[in-house]
Structures are given as C-alpha cells and as structure tokens.
Amino acid sequence: MKHHASDVHTLAAAYVLGALEAGERDAFEAHLRACEACRQEAAELEATAARLAAAVSEPPPASAKHQVMAAIDGVRQLPPRIPVPPSAPAAVGRLRRAALPLALAASAAVAVLGGVTVWQAYHSRDLSQEARQAQQQLDAVTAVLAAPDARTVHGRAANGALTTVVTSARQNRAVFAAANLPTPGTGKTYQLWLDHDGTMRPAGFVDHDGTVLLTGNPADAGAVGLTLEPAGGSPQPTTDPLLLMTLPT
C-alpha cells in the first residue's frame, strides 16, 4: 500500500489488523508516538479485537449472522478528524477507498460483539450468581488464612502432591491446599475427608492444584484424608487414602 506521508492518519485500522507491510508498520509506529488521535483510535480498535477474541469461547446466537450482514451496509468507520493539507485530496481518496475492506471488517467485528452481548444477557443471572459464590468462597478462605489463631501443617500425598492444611479453631474452619496434584483421570475426582474417631466424613473435592475450604465440622476431627473416587464423590472412601494428615492443634 503506497500512501502520502500526510495521510498516515488513515492507517489505524490496517495497523491493528496486521495489514501493513513491514516498512509501513514501522513508519506508522513512529507516527503513533507523535499523534494522540491515532493512538486513541488504535487503542480502541485493539480493545475491540481483544473483546472479540475473548468472546469466541461462547457460541453466538443464531441471529448473529443477520446482524453482521445488516451492519456491513449500515455502519462505517471514519479516521480521526485531522486537517488535511489542500495539496493532498487525491491521495486521501485513494487511501480511503483502499481502507474500505478493513472498515467493513471492523464493522463486522462490532456486530458480532453485539450478538454475543445479547447472548450473554440471557446468562447474566447465572454468571452473577457464580461470581458471588466465588467471592464468598475466596472471602472464607482468606478469613481462615488470616485468622490470629491459624495453625498450619504440611504433608505429601502418596502420588507426590504437596499438601497444606490451615485451621482456625475460632472460626471452626479448615482450608486445604495442594500443589503438583496429578490429573485424576476420566471419570475420577479427588475427594477430601475429615476423620472423626475413625469415621470418614465427606469434606469436599479438589480436582487440580489450588486451595479449597473444607466442608463439614473440623472441631472434633483428628485428620484430613484424600482419596481418588468416582466423579461425583462417594459417601465413604472406596480406595486407600493417598493422604491422612493429622490436623494442627
């Protein structure tokens, strides 16, 4: 793409979409350092591309194609309003015609994002509930780890995983953390247990490295157990314990 030096302002879309040749890209990056309007436009286009990439993990609604096709005819992108020297109107026209396919591509991206937003609106209630639950879980774990009476014990499971248990008698809660925990395998899960005088009671699940708040009452439990169970868990352990670690006192 050949262009007049004064028309470099029109290349923001081509730059973000990776459509410039190496020399043109270097020249435009040098221009960005001196042109605030182009920096803003490039940043906005990059943000749109990032949002689109993040959205592809969710299937768009059936109406997305119709919205894209409608938007192509009705939406256009203009360059920043930069005064153009009278000596270069012909070059501007050529550049704008050459940039039309890129503008249409940007319009399509915006339309697809609109379709995904519509789809996400139907699921916003579920997503909000999951976010609240995750925040509550995080708050509970943090409270145990930061408790003035927190006690910690470390161990190693039979499969090599490094484990840590933190308890707070004042809060009557316990936190379990694992590192280097192998993948449980298809149809399997790691289940946690609290040992109450030889009776193993379910205390939650851990399916990968991370930290979880144990369910159940650790007040009169003597140890934490870890077994490999069928997906969904078991009412009682069905395999030998990978770990049976005495709770800290």
Side-chain angles (χ1 to χ4, degrees), residues 164-218:
T164 300
V165 174
V166 181
T167 63
S168 169
R170 183 179 302 177
Q171 298 185 33
N172 194 24
R173 283 179 165 176
V175 168
F176 178 89
N180 301 322
L181 192 64
T183 303
T186 304
K188 298 290 185 179
T189 188
Y190 290 109
Q191 188 165 359
L192 294 162
W193 307 88
L194 285 172
D195 180 6
H196 294 269
D197 295 327
T199 300
M200 303 298 286
R201 297 178 181 173
F205 302 93
V206 55
D207 57 1
H208 52 73
D209 291 355
T211 303
V212 297
L213 185 72
L214 296 181
T215 60
N217 184 0

Side-chain angles (χ1 to χ4, degrees), residues 9-247:
H9 306 286
T10 63
L11 299 181
Y15 172 76
V16 170
L17 294 174
L20 296 181
E21 297 177 359
E24 292 173 326
R25 182 178 184 87
D26 292 342
F28 186 75
E29 288 177 344
H31 169 74
L32 282 178
R33 290 192 287 271
C35 181
E36 182 178 355
C38 284
R39 285 200 303 272
Q40 180 178 350
E41 183 179 23
E44 291 172 353
L45 288 171
E46 287 174 346
T48 298
R51 289 174 58 199
L52 182 61
V56 296
S57 61
E58 303 288 358
S63 60
K65 180 178 180 180
H66 173 75
Q67 293 179 5
V68 169
M69 300 308 295
I72 286 176
D73 291 332
V75 180
R76 65 191 181 96
Q77 177 188 326
L78 295 176
R81 295 184 178 274
I82 303 295
V84 179
S87 59
V92 172
R94 288 195 300 272
L95 261 177
R96 288 181 178 172
R97 286 194 296 273
L100 180 59
L102 300 175
L104 295 181
S107 299
V110 172
V112 171
L113 280 174
V116 172
T117 300
V118 171
W119 182 88
Q120 289 177 336
Y122 289 106
H123 300 270
S124 60
R125 183 175 303 176
D126 292 340
L127 294 175
S128 297
Q129 182 177 358
E130 291 179 6
R132 286 194 299 270
Q133 291 174 346
Q135 185 61 55
Q136 291 170 357
Q137 181 82 356
L138 177 60
D139 291 344
V141 167
T142 302
V144 174
L145 300 181
D149 65 335
R151 299 292 183 269
T152 304
V153 64
H154 303 283
R156 183 185 293 272
N159 57 10
L162 302 177
T163 61
T164 300
V165 174
V166 181
T167 63
S168 169
R170 183 179 302 177
Q171 298 185 33
N172 194 24
R173 283 179 165 176
V175 168
F176 178 89
N180 301 322
L181 192 64
T183 303
T186 304
K188 298 290 185 179
T189 188
Y190 290 109
Q191 188 165 359
L192 294 162
W193 307 88
L194 285 172
D195 180 6
H196 294 269
D197 295 327
T199 300
M200 303 298 286
R201 297 178 181 173
F205 302 93
V206 55
D207 57 1
H208 52 73
D209 291 355
T211 303
V212 297
L213 185 72
L214 296 181
T215 60
N217 184 0
D220 59 349
V224 171
L226 178 70
T227 61
L228 188 61
E229 301 294 334
S234 305
Q236 293 294 325
T238 63
T239 62
D240 293 335
L242 297 169
L243 174 76
L244 192 60
M245 186 164 56
T246 301
L247 284 171

